Amino acid sequence: MPVKVDPETGLINLFNDQISYVIQILKNRYPVHRYFGAVLTDATELAPLPSGNHAFAADTQPDFPYSVTSLPLEYSTIGSGDYRQPGYLIETPANQLLPILTYVGMRVTDQPINPDQLPPTVAAGTDVTTLVLHLADTVTGLKLALNYTLFDHSPLILRSTTLTNTGQQPLTVQTLNSLQLDLADDHYDALTFSGTHAHEANPTLAPLRPGIQCQRSLRGTSGPQQQPFMGLARPHATEFSGEVLGTALVWSGNFQAAVEVDQYAHSRLTLGLEPTTFQWQLAAGTSFQSPEAVLAWSDAGFNGLSQVFHDFGNQLQPTLATSPIAINTWESNFFDVNATKVSQLIQQAADLDLEMVVVDDGWFFNRNGENGQLGDWQVDPVKFPQGLRPLADQAHQQGLKFGLWLEPEMITTNSALYREHPDWVLHYQQRAPITARHQLVLDLFQTAVRQHLLTTITGLIETNQLDYLKWDMNRHLTQVGNDWLPSSQQGELYTRYVLGLYTLLNQLRARFPELIIENCSAGGGRLDFGMLAYTNQTWLSDLTDPVDRAKIENGFSYLFPPSCFSTHVSASPNGQNGRFTPLQTRLNLATIGNLGFEMALDTLTPAERQVVMTQIKQAKVWQPRFNNARFYRLTDWRDQPDCQAWLLVTRDQRQALCFYTTGLSSAVKVPTQLPLHYLADQRHYLVHGHSFSGQTLNHVGLTMPPAKQDFESQLLWLQPAE
């Protein structure tokens, strides 16, 4: 196994052919961080850590002549002389914090952690090496395991923390990070992503400064305001070169990512559960496992880092099978759906050679607007007198799949379910409920609630022979409390809600392994690696305008592979921003990812129908070839904010797709050279019938003609010339 241990120095080198992560057990007491980066064949050559005291620091001891104040500790807390952001805060029954825990041993295995209650992060058959460092507190009996799972063929490590209370008294966990990474300097820019509904995944690069820079969510979900991720890049890093590292949490609830620069210009990066909304009562004899954090490194710039995350995401998803090309009823009908309209849509979809029809919101009883009834999930007998099954049968007879929108986590007060079980919602005792979008949130911690939802969803799937579910969540959590947990455990509910969601999704996937589930939270509001483990694709944004949507996709591409992007063609002018865009641009953008449509198909002119059918036919050729392709950004948002240029290259580098758009056209018609960077130099590629070497295309580039009108785009297929 790729772990080298030097008993004399206490150095542990966890490595593969790309990276090393080096830890030192200092004086057999504390694990300290020594190195993370390109592979080191001999970690014993690292210089010793400086000993001696610092001014106003906790005193050193004869058997431990190091100042804890400045040590690069692998996992630390306050109260023992380290005054930086803590990795953990754990209270004794006396309401006193535990000290920095002491190393007691290690274990190496070829098995991943893959905790039962959390998303499975390592696919079966994936080669990994897991290093576990055991720490302990002899007074309380707490055992703490630092888990490091190295992917043997990727520059990626999974970090997590396992707590086990072997003592007689309960302990209170106030803060628990999955990752703490101490770095020797502060010469980094922090990469983060922020946004809001219809404006997701906006990148920001900011130089580190003294103090703390923090990203977090208090909403009960992971976004879209801030993404559970933080990257650190050397100041001159670009899309194509430079050293970058990044960490993302495999978690769909509240999180905190923070980087602190201390008085010695050292940097500490932490990522884990958001501490002000997290508390856990660790009873005697029980354990708690933190979510896993993905830690990746690259010396090939942001594109290099993205490849690591994309590979992780692809192996995380339930399947990489190509999703069917869908038509969704939402933007053409909104709540005004009925049997006649859906039946007509099925025939229109079949005529255009689409592959699936999805009935979005509005199909169930008393649902004609946002204030309509949620929670009972009974088919509206007026809109659908014979139910949905005849429509599903019609779709299947036409060779189409059939899908349905659902918002399972939500309920309204006018529902029968709420009247029967008002205690099933998150609420504060003796307080009036707070609604958002007229909705309350079901308490997924409760087994009865999850069982009811599983039974209800199972009934919908089986009765209507559903092939697809669009799983939506359109509000954040408020009044996160219930009547079931004792007062001392109410602080666990934010965490238990997400664990309940994972349990429900896991049960649904086990029961219906072929079901396609689309993740949605008012768009990309809950796109994270936790949800990626249970869903096939994600609706990235409720904004379908291709100009803004391209920027959103560009932002999400730093972390997530386009195999999970659900991208639909909508009408022009766009219903949200009023922008007119060419049909071909809308088609080209939607072809990157999982192509679908969000428009009234009967409004297409004969010429437009032909364009659409041509693109659909071509997409069916491209999708299986490029679903697992390498995805690269060819321009930098800092230099060209309105230009999006992407390259998808098959794993064998024989074919590629290039998407290019520049926004507004110019009266000065000048072509642009677009170097492609990532083709095989010695291969030859056909572009518009002409053969070019990969070397020429990489360094000189494609010649992109000037746009004739605003918002034009190009989607070029580079085929093998040999």
Side-chain angles (χ1 to χ4, degrees):
M1 293 183 185
V3 180
K4 289 182 180 179
V5 180
D6 182 15
E8 183 176 339
T9 61
L11 287 163
I12 305 169
N13 186 5
L14 179 64
F15 68 97
N16 58 24
D17 60 354
Q18 299 177 66
I19 59 168
S20 282
Y21 192 104
V22 181
I23 302 164
Q24 186 175 13
I25 308 302
L26 203 57
K27 293 291 184 180
N28 206 38
R29 182 178 296 185
Y30 300 141
V32 295
H33 181 76
R34 297 306 312 275
Y35 175 81
F36 177 51
V39 61
L40 293 180
T41 56
D42 187 1
T44 62
E45 296 179 350
L46 292 172
L49 285 170
S51 59
N53 212 337
H54 291 292
F56 303 104
D59 292 335
T60 58
Q61 302 168 27
D63 63 337
F64 194 76
Y66 301 94
S67 178
V68 173
T69 306
S70 59
L71 276 181
L73 293 157
E74 275 296 298
Y75 210 56
S76 186
T77 189
I78 60 175
S80 301
D82 185 354
Y83 301 99
R84 294 162 288 182
Q85 283 278 98
Y88 62 95
L89 294 173
I90 302 173
E91 287 185 352
T92 69
N95 291 328
Q96 296 175 344
L97 294 176
L98 291 184
I100 301 174
L101 301 187
T102 304
Y103 172 79
V104 294
M106 63 176 285
R107 177 172 63 92
V108 179
T109 176
D110 61 359
Q111 298 300 308
I113 300 298
N114 275 358
D116 290 339
Q117 282 190 294
L118 293 167
T121 50
V122 181
T126 304
D127 295 327
V128 298
T129 299
T130 297
L131 167 69
V132 181
L133 300 181
H134 295 288
L135 311 182
D137 176 55
T138 56
V139 175
T140 62
L142 177 69
K143 292 183 177 180
L144 186 152
L146 296 179
N147 307 310
Y148 306 78
T149 296
L150 171 70
F151 281 61
D152 289 358
H153 305 293
S154 176
L156 182 146
I157 297 173
L158 295 173
R159 296 279 307 272
S160 66
T161 306
T162 308
L163 301 177
T164 303
N165 185 355
T166 67
Q168 302 300 312
Q169 297 294 319
L171 301 171
T172 302
V173 187
Q174 300 282 10
T175 296
L176 190 69
N177 280 297
S178 301
L179 169 145
Q180 177 179 308
L181 180 65
D182 282 12
L183 300 169
D185 62 74
D186 62 348
H187 301 152
Y188 293 97
D189 293 334
L191 174 65
T192 56
F193 295 92
S194 61
T196 187
H197 174 250
H199 191 55
E200 296 89 345
N202 303 285
T204 300
L205 268 172
L208 295 192
R209 50 173 172 72
I212 299 171
Q213 291 157 266
C214 177
Q215 295 277 105
R216 69 176 186 179
S217 174
L218 300 171
R219 299 170 180 271
T221 68
S222 54
Q225 281 68 24
Q226 296 177 329
Q227 183 69 217
F229 163 85
M230 185 171 284
L232 296 179
R234 292 302 186 184
H236 299 295
T238 69
E239 292 286 1
F240 313 105
S241 64
E243 183 182 357
V244 293
L245 63 89
T247 182
L249 198 63
V250 187
W251 183 245
S252 307
N254 290 348
F255 71 91
Q256 180 169 290
V259 60
E260 179 177 5
V261 176
D262 70 9
Q263 69 269 37
Y264 306 114
H266 301 154
S267 301
R268 171 171 289 178
L269 176 64
T270 54
L271 177 64
L273 298 167
E274 197 283 319
T276 63
T277 55
F278 168 75
Q279 188 182 85
W280 197 271
Q281 296 301 313
L282 193 66
T286 65
S287 296
F288 181 82
Q289 171 70 47
S290 78
E292 292 185 279
V294 188
L295 177 63
W297 176 89
S298 177
D299 60 359
F302 296 113
N303 271 321
L305 188 69
S306 292
Q307 299 314 305
V308 184
F309 280 112
H310 290 183
D311 285 346
F312 175 72
N314 280 332
Q315 66 91 43
L316 191 68
Q317 294 179 75
T319 177
L320 273 181
T322 303
S323 292
I325 300 174
I327 173 68
N328 184 293
T329 61
W330 179 246
E331 287 198 18
S332 58
N333 292 278
F334 296 104
F335 297 100
D336 188 21
V337 290
N338 59 47
T340 300
K341 291 181 179 180
V342 174
S343 179
Q344 292 171 348
L345 185 62
I346 290 170
Q347 186 59 55
Q348 295 162 7
D351 292 343
L352 282 174
D353 207 19
L354 297 177
E355 297 170 317
M356 182 165 68
V357 171
V358 177
V359 181
D360 210 284
D361 201 352
W363 60 266
F364 46 96
F365 177 73
N366 193 21
R367 185 67 171 178
N368 298 302
E370 284 188 1
N371 60 346
Q373 187 170 324
L374 290 175
D376 297 332
W377 306 114
Q378 302 295 319
V379 178
D380 189 313
V382 176
K383 296 179 180 179
F384 300 94
Q386 296 179 303
L388 295 173
R389 180 59 182 266
L391 296 168
D393 291 342
Q394 179 190 350
H396 292 148
Q397 290 164 7
Q398 294 274 21
L400 303 173
K401 295 184 182 299
F402 188 74
L404 202 61
W405 176 95
L406 204 62
E407 195 170 2
E409 299 161 72
M410 300 299 153
I411 190 172
T412 50
T413 56
N414 60 355
S415 65
L417 184 64
Y418 182 76
R419 289 193 297 272
E420 294 170 9
H421 299 285
D423 57 330
W424 278 13
V425 301
L426 295 173
H427 66 281
Y428 284 166
Q429 296 175 4
Q430 300 178 340
R431 304 285 181 182
I434 296 174
T435 60
R437 298 182 84 249
H438 313 282
Q439 300 169 193
L440 297 171
V441 184
L442 288 169
D443 177 10
L444 297 190
F445 156 69
Q446 297 182 43
T447 303
V449 174
R450 295 197 305 272
Q451 186 57 53
H452 169 80
L453 289 175
L454 182 63
T455 300
T456 301
I457 297 169
T458 296
L460 286 171
I461 294 170
E462 292 179 343
T463 300
N464 301 295
Q465 294 294 288
L466 300 180
D467 306 291
Y468 162 104
L469 276 183
K470 182 176 179 180
W471 186 296
D472 209 346
M473 186 205 192
N474 282 317
R475 64 154 291 183
H476 295 133
L477 308 189
T478 54
Q479 296 180 321
V480 182
N482 66 19
D483 299 333
W484 299 91
L485 284 170
S487 59
S488 62
Q489 291 184 262
Q490 288 290 306
E492 300 175 8
L493 200 47
Y494 275 102
T495 303
R496 289 186 180 275
Y497 180 91
V498 180
L499 295 177
L501 171 65
Y502 290 156
T503 298
L504 178 58
L505 286 169
N506 192 45
Q507 291 171 331
L508 191 64
R509 291 236 68 102
R511 191 167 292 190
F512 301 102
E514 302 302 318
L515 181 70
I516 301 166
I517 302 179
E518 180 171 282
N519 171 33
C520 180
S521 182
R526 197 164 58 178
L527 174 51
D528 54 63
F529 285 113
M531 291 300 291
L532 205 64
Y534 301 104
T535 57
N536 302 78
Q537 57 198 55
T538 296
W539 182 240
L540 294 186
S541 178
D542 282 344
L543 180 56
T544 54
D545 164 63
V547 179
D548 287 334
R549 186 67 172 258
K551 295 178 182 178
I552 293 169
E553 289 189 35
N554 195 74
F556 276 129
S557 77
Y558 280 84
L559 291 179
F560 304 105
S563 59
C564 75
F565 292 176
S566 184
T567 51
H568 286 192
V569 180
S570 61
S572 180
N574 183 266
Q576 286 152 313
N577 62 17
R579 181 179 285 132
F580 288 84
T581 52
L583 175 61
Q584 192 64 59
T585 289
R586 287 174 273 145
L587 285 164
N588 286 346
L589 176 65
T591 302
I592 307 299
N594 296 292
L595 173 62
F597 291 81
E598 200 88 15
M599 61 189 300
L601 298 178
D602 57 358
T603 63
L604 293 169
T605 67
E608 289 173 333
R609 285 177 58 85
Q610 189 58 52
V611 171
V612 168
M613 293 180 71
T614 299
Q615 189 88 2
I616 290 171
K617 182 178 180 180
Q618 188 64 75
K620 290 181 179 181
V621 174
W622 286 336
Q623 281 186 334
R625 303 184 188 195
F626 291 98
N627 201 41
N628 192 29
R630 295 288 189 193
F631 177 98
Y632 302 97
R633 295 170 298 276
L634 300 179
T635 56
D636 193 315
W637 56 271
R638 293 170 290 181
D639 302 325
Q640 298 172 278
D642 295 322
C643 177
Q644 311 299 330
W646 306 326
L647 187 73
L648 283 79
V649 185
T650 57
R651 297 284 169 152
D652 60 9
Q653 293 188 291
R654 297 186 70 246
Q655 300 182 62
L657 277 178
C658 182
F659 173 82
Y660 179 77
T661 185
T662 57
L664 298 177
S665 64
S666 171
V668 181
K669 304 298 182 183
V670 179
T672 300
Q673 293 300 124
L674 181 68
L676 301 187
H677 296 277
Y678 295 104
L679 300 176
D681 280 346
Q682 303 310 314
R683 290 194 181 277
H684 283 74
Y685 301 86
L686 287 175
V687 185
H688 294 315
H690 299 283
S691 178
F692 299 90
S693 71
Q695 185 179 61
T696 298
L697 292 171
N698 285 336
H699 299 288
V700 179
L702 286 170
T703 300
M704 294 297 185
K708 298 177 182 178
Q709 60 176 314
D710 290 347
F711 315 121
E712 275 189 357
S713 71
Q714 302 283 330
L715 185 58
L716 302 177
W717 184 15
L718 285 67
Q719 301 181 66
E722 63 272 10

